[in-house]
Amino acid sequence: KFPSIARNAADKVGFPLGPGALEVTKDYCTNGREAVNTIQIAAGVAQEAGRKSIQRGDVEWVVSTGQYSPRPQRKVPDHPQVGYVNGLAVSGPNLGTLLEIEVTTHPAQGAEGRLKVTGIVEEEEIGGGGRTLRRKSMAISSLDNVVTVLRHYLESDPRRFDIHVNFPGVAPVDGPSAGVAIAVAIYSSIAGLPVDNGLALTGEVSIRGLVRPVGGIVPKIEAAREAGARRVIVPCGNWQESFKEIRDLEIIPVETLDEVFERAFLPRFAVEGEGRKISEHRPAVETAVH
């Protein structure tokens, strides 16, 4: 973790951290190596100025000279919302981040609705050596799977809705690991159910309603904690016994979307939003198809 790494680096060079120095390091460094380098350079700046401690201004000089970009400091929302979910993603080496996902849905005018995605690259180029391939973004493919599996859970066929999925701020999307969160957001919007704002989710979803393991689970959990989440849903395949030792965050392993939906929504909760009345009763969730 950055605070302990930065403190250890300061102890090794013999320059204690002054007020605000650690906070600036946390705000700008994306991994342990950057934190150590920043503290070491800041110690050199302090020594050059004849000081025996690292001040906030020393660290600010380092990040400014190095043209560091501030880390995204996303927080969970203050209140539950319909169609809004806290996903989790990996934004760098051993660095997780909260992934905002918002969805709006409207009954389609025609026989089949349209699927619109904004905030991510819809197509990417891969390859090398004179050969380039274009493929659909993994997040888009995950969204196709979600729409398919939700047909088994919702009373209304999601294909009969115009669905707009947005990732605000052009956030990094770690391929299909956003599948479970996307499923919750779409279900929430169509069923009119608010999502627990203190919950964060990660996991890949199969077309049979199974939750598959994903990468970067530890930094994602740490990102959820820093964002103020109270609970985190993770795939059973990612469960680690060490998670039992986490006291300020409830880690919930799940195997199916049934288990996710049972924990994600706030039942019998009525709100007014976007010009329509939200149902006070939660629709029944069908059993996943295996």
mmCIF file with all atom_site columns, all heavy atoms in Angstrom, residues 179-192:
data_model
loop_
_atom_site.group_PDB
_atom_site.id
_atom_site.type_symbol
_atom_site.label_atom_id
_atom_site.label_alt_id
_atom_site.label_comp_id
_atom_site.label_asym_id
_atom_site.label_entity_id
_atom_site.label_seq_id
_atom_site.pdbx_PDB_ins_code
_atom_site.Cartn_x
_atom_site.Cartn_y
_atom_site.Cartn_z
_atom_site.occupancy
_atom_site.B_iso_or_equiv
_atom_site.pdbx_formal_charge
_atom_site.auth_seq_id
_atom_site.auth_comp_id
_atom_site.auth_asym_id
_atom_site.auth_atom_id
_atom_site.pdbx_PDB_model_num
ATOM 1  N N   . GLY A 1 179 ? -18.878 -7.285  -16.613 1.00 0.00 ? 179 GLY A N   1
ATOM 2  C CA  . GLY A 1 179 ? -20.132 -7.909  -17.022 1.00 0.00 ? 179 GLY A CA  1
ATOM 3  C C   . GLY A 1 179 ? -21.191 -7.962  -15.936 1.00 0.00 ? 179 GLY A C   1
ATOM 4  O O   . GLY A 1 179 ? -22.359 -7.653  -16.179 1.00 0.00 ? 179 GLY A O   1
ATOM 5  N N   . VAL A 1 180 ? -20.814 -8.360  -14.732 1.00 0.00 ? 180 VAL A N   1
ATOM 6  C CA  . VAL A 1 180 ? -21.785 -8.460  -13.640 1.00 0.00 ? 180 VAL A CA  1
ATOM 7  C C   . VAL A 1 180 ? -22.351 -7.084  -13.302 1.00 0.00 ? 180 VAL A C   1
ATOM 8  O O   . VAL A 1 180 ? -23.558 -6.924  -13.107 1.00 0.00 ? 180 VAL A O   1
ATOM 9  C CB  . VAL A 1 180 ? -21.132 -9.108  -12.402 1.00 0.00 ? 180 VAL A CB  1
ATOM 10 C CG1 . VAL A 1 180 ? -22.045 -8.981  -11.184 1.00 0.00 ? 180 VAL A CG1 1
ATOM 11 C CG2 . VAL A 1 180 ? -20.832 -10.573 -12.668 1.00 0.00 ? 180 VAL A CG2 1
ATOM 12 N N   . ALA A 1 181 ? -21.487 -6.083  -13.233 1.00 0.00 ? 181 ALA A N   1
ATOM 13 C CA  . ALA A 1 181 ? -21.951 -4.736  -12.915 1.00 0.00 ? 181 ALA A CA  1
ATOM 14 C C   . ALA A 1 181 ? -22.877 -4.199  -14.006 1.00 0.00 ? 181 ALA A C   1
ATOM 15 O O   . ALA A 1 181 ? -23.886 -3.544  -13.719 1.00 0.00 ? 181 ALA A O   1
ATOM 16 C CB  . ALA A 1 181 ? -20.752 -3.807  -12.734 1.00 0.00 ? 181 ALA A CB  1
ATOM 17 N N   . ILE A 1 182 ? -22.560 -4.477  -15.266 1.00 0.00 ? 182 ILE A N   1
ATOM 18 C CA  . ILE A 1 182 ? -23.416 -4.047  -16.368 1.00 0.00 ? 182 ILE A CA  1
ATOM 19 C C   . ILE A 1 182 ? -24.778 -4.729  -16.276 1.00 0.00 ? 182 ILE A C   1
ATOM 20 O O   . ILE A 1 182 ? -25.825 -4.099  -16.501 1.00 0.00 ? 182 ILE A O   1
ATOM 21 C CB  . ILE A 1 182 ? -22.747 -4.350  -17.723 1.00 0.00 ? 182 ILE A CB  1
ATOM 22 C CG1 . ILE A 1 182 ? -21.493 -3.496  -17.907 1.00 0.00 ? 182 ILE A CG1 1
ATOM 23 C CG2 . ILE A 1 182 ? -23.717 -4.106  -18.878 1.00 0.00 ? 182 ILE A CG2 1
ATOM 24 C CD1 . ILE A 1 182 ? -20.672 -3.874  -19.129 1.00 0.00 ? 182 ILE A CD1 1
ATOM 25 N N   . ALA A 1 183 ? -24.782 -6.013  -15.934 1.00 0.00 ? 183 ALA A N   1
ATOM 26 C CA  . ALA A 1 183 ? -26.044 -6.745  -15.801 1.00 0.00 ? 183 ALA A CA  1
ATOM 27 C C   . ALA A 1 183 ? -26.925 -6.133  -14.730 1.00 0.00 ? 183 ALA A C   1
ATOM 28 O O   . ALA A 1 183 ? -28.140 -5.977  -14.905 1.00 0.00 ? 183 ALA A O   1
ATOM 29 C CB  . ALA A 1 183 ? -25.765 -8.219  -15.483 1.00 0.00 ? 183 ALA A CB  1
ATOM 30 N N   . VAL A 1 184 ? -26.336 -5.769  -13.596 1.00 0.00 ? 184 VAL A N   1
ATOM 31 C CA  . VAL A 1 184 ? -27.094 -5.153  -12.518 1.00 0.00 ? 184 VAL A CA  1
ATOM 32 C C   . VAL A 1 184 ? -27.650 -3.798  -12.950 1.00 0.00 ? 184 VAL A C   1
ATOM 33 O O   . VAL A 1 184 ? -28.806 -3.459  -12.661 1.00 0.00 ? 184 VAL A O   1
ATOM 34 C CB  . VAL A 1 184 ? -26.217 -4.999  -11.258 1.00 0.00 ? 184 VAL A CB  1
ATOM 35 C CG1 . VAL A 1 184 ? -26.919 -4.138  -10.201 1.00 0.00 ? 184 VAL A CG1 1
ATOM 36 C CG2 . VAL A 1 184 ? -25.880 -6.357  -10.674 1.00 0.00 ? 184 VAL A CG2 1
ATOM 37 N N   . ALA A 1 185 ? -26.843 -3.017  -13.664 1.00 0.00 ? 185 ALA A N   1
ATOM 38 C CA  . ALA A 1 185 ? -27.284 -1.686  -14.090 1.00 0.00 ? 185 ALA A CA  1
ATOM 39 C C   . ALA A 1 185 ? -28.458 -1.774  -15.063 1.00 0.00 ? 185 ALA A C   1
ATOM 40 O O   . ALA A 1 185 ? -29.432 -1.013  -14.957 1.00 0.00 ? 185 ALA A O   1
ATOM 41 C CB  . ALA A 1 185 ? -26.122 -0.933  -14.718 1.00 0.00 ? 185 ALA A CB  1
ATOM 42 N N   . ILE A 1 186 ? -28.399 -2.700  -16.029 1.00 0.00 ? 186 ILE A N   1
ATOM 43 C CA  . ILE A 1 186 ? -29.481 -2.841  -17.003 1.00 0.00 ? 186 ILE A CA  1
ATOM 44 C C   . ILE A 1 186 ? -30.735 -3.374  -16.320 1.00 0.00 ? 186 ILE A C   1
ATOM 45 O O   . ILE A 1 186 ? -31.849 -2.886  -16.550 1.00 0.00 ? 186 ILE A O   1
ATOM 46 C CB  . ILE A 1 186 ? -29.057 -3.757  -18.161 1.00 0.00 ? 186 ILE A CB  1
ATOM 47 C CG1 . ILE A 1 186 ? -27.935 -3.099  -18.971 1.00 0.00 ? 186 ILE A CG1 1
ATOM 48 C CG2 . ILE A 1 186 ? -30.240 -4.060  -19.080 1.00 0.00 ? 186 ILE A CG2 1
ATOM 49 C CD1 . ILE A 1 186 ? -27.396 -3.973  -20.096 1.00 0.00 ? 186 ILE A CD1 1
ATOM 50 N N   . TYR A 1 187 ? -30.576 -4.390  -15.476 1.00 0.00 ? 187 TYR A N   1
ATOM 51 C CA  . TYR A 1 187 ? -31.714 -4.945  -14.730 1.00 0.00 ? 187 TYR A CA  1
ATOM 52 C C   . TYR A 1 187 ? -32.374 -3.838  -13.910 1.00 0.00 ? 187 TYR A C   1
ATOM 53 O O   . TYR A 1 187 ? -33.611 -3.691  -13.892 1.00 0.00 ? 187 TYR A O   1
ATOM 54 C CB  . TYR A 1 187 ? -31.215 -6.064  -13.815 1.00 0.00 ? 187 TYR A CB  1
ATOM 55 C CG  . TYR A 1 187 ? -32.300 -6.868  -13.146 1.00 0.00 ? 187 TYR A CG  1
ATOM 56 C CD1 . TYR A 1 187 ? -32.457 -8.222  -13.433 1.00 0.00 ? 187 TYR A CD1 1
ATOM 57 C CD2 . TYR A 1 187 ? -33.147 -6.300  -12.197 1.00 0.00 ? 187 TYR A CD2 1
ATOM 58 C CE1 . TYR A 1 187 ? -33.444 -8.980  -12.808 1.00 0.00 ? 187 TYR A CE1 1
ATOM 59 C CE2 . TYR A 1 187 ? -34.135 -7.043  -11.572 1.00 0.00 ? 187 TYR A CE2 1
ATOM 60 C CZ  . TYR A 1 187 ? -34.274 -8.384  -11.877 1.00 0.00 ? 187 TYR A CZ  1
ATOM 61 O OH  . TYR A 1 187 ? -35.248 -9.125  -11.257 1.00 0.00 ? 187 TYR A OH  1
ATOM 62 N N   . SER A 1 188 ? -31.560 -3.052  -13.222 1.00 0.00 ? 188 SER A N   1
ATOM 63 C CA  . SER A 1 188 ? -32.064 -1.967  -12.393 1.00 0.00 ? 188 SER A CA  1
ATOM 64 C C   . SER A 1 188 ? -32.892 -0.979  -13.191 1.00 0.00 ? 188 SER A C   1
ATOM 65 O O   . SER A 1 188 ? -33.980 -0.566  -12.773 1.00 0.00 ? 188 SER A O   1
ATOM 66 C CB  . SER A 1 188 ? -30.887 -1.239  -11.739 1.00 0.00 ? 188 SER A CB  1
ATOM 67 O OG  . SER A 1 188 ? -31.300 -0.019  -11.146 1.00 0.00 ? 188 SER A OG  1
ATOM 68 N N   . SER A 1 189 ? -32.394 -0.593  -14.365 1.00 0.00 ? 189 SER A N   1
ATOM 69 C CA  . SER A 1 189 ? -33.080 0.399   -15.177 1.00 0.00 ? 189 SER A CA  1
ATOM 70 C C   . SER A 1 189 ? -34.408 -0.127  -15.718 1.00 0.00 ? 189 SER A C   1
ATOM 71 O O   . SER A 1 189 ? -35.424 0.573   -15.689 1.00 0.00 ? 189 SER A O   1
ATOM 72 C CB  . SER A 1 189 ? -32.178 0.843   -16.330 1.00 0.00 ? 189 SER A CB  1
ATOM 73 O OG  . SER A 1 189 ? -32.800 1.840   -17.109 1.00 0.00 ? 189 SER A OG  1
ATOM 74 N N   . ILE A 1 190 ? -34.414 -1.366  -16.204 1.00 0.00 ? 190 ILE A N   1
ATOM 75 C CA  . ILE A 1 190 ? -35.642 -1.927  -16.776 1.00 0.00 ? 190 ILE A CA  1
ATOM 76 C C   . ILE A 1 190 ? -36.675 -2.217  -15.691 1.00 0.00 ? 190 ILE A C   1
ATOM 77 O O   . ILE A 1 190 ? -37.868 -1.936  -15.852 1.00 0.00 ? 190 ILE A O   1
ATOM 78 C CB  . ILE A 1 190 ? -35.325 -3.202  -17.576 1.00 0.00 ? 190 ILE A CB  1
ATOM 79 C CG1 . ILE A 1 190 ? -34.499 -2.845  -18.829 1.00 0.00 ? 190 ILE A CG1 1
ATOM 80 C CG2 . ILE A 1 190 ? -36.615 -3.916  -17.990 1.00 0.00 ? 190 ILE A CG2 1
ATOM 81 C CD1 . ILE A 1 190 ? -34.085 -4.039  -19.660 1.00 0.00 ? 190 ILE A CD1 1
ATOM 82 N N   . ALA A 1 191 ? -36.220 -2.765  -14.550 1.00 0.00 ? 191 ALA A N   1
ATOM 83 C CA  . ALA A 1 191 ? -37.146 -3.128  -13.472 1.00 0.00 ? 191 ALA A CA  1
ATOM 84 C C   . ALA A 1 191 ? -37.488 -1.952  -12.566 1.00 0.00 ? 191 ALA A C   1
ATOM 85 O O   . ALA A 1 191 ? -38.423 -2.041  -11.771 1.00 0.00 ? 191 ALA A O   1
ATOM 86 C CB  . ALA A 1 191 ? -36.551 -4.262  -12.642 1.00 0.00 ? 191 ALA A CB  1
ATOM 87 N N   . GLY A 1 192 ? -36.741 -0.854  -12.681 1.00 0.00 ? 192 GLY A N   1
ATOM 88 C CA  . GLY A 1 192 ? -37.009 0.299   -11.838 1.00 0.00 ? 192 GLY A CA  1
ATOM 89 C C   . GLY A 1 192 ? -36.581 0.116   -10.397 1.00 0.00 ? 192 GLY A C   1
ATOM 90 O O   . GLY A 1 192 ? -37.232 0.636   -9.483  1.00 0.00 ? 192 GLY A O   1
#
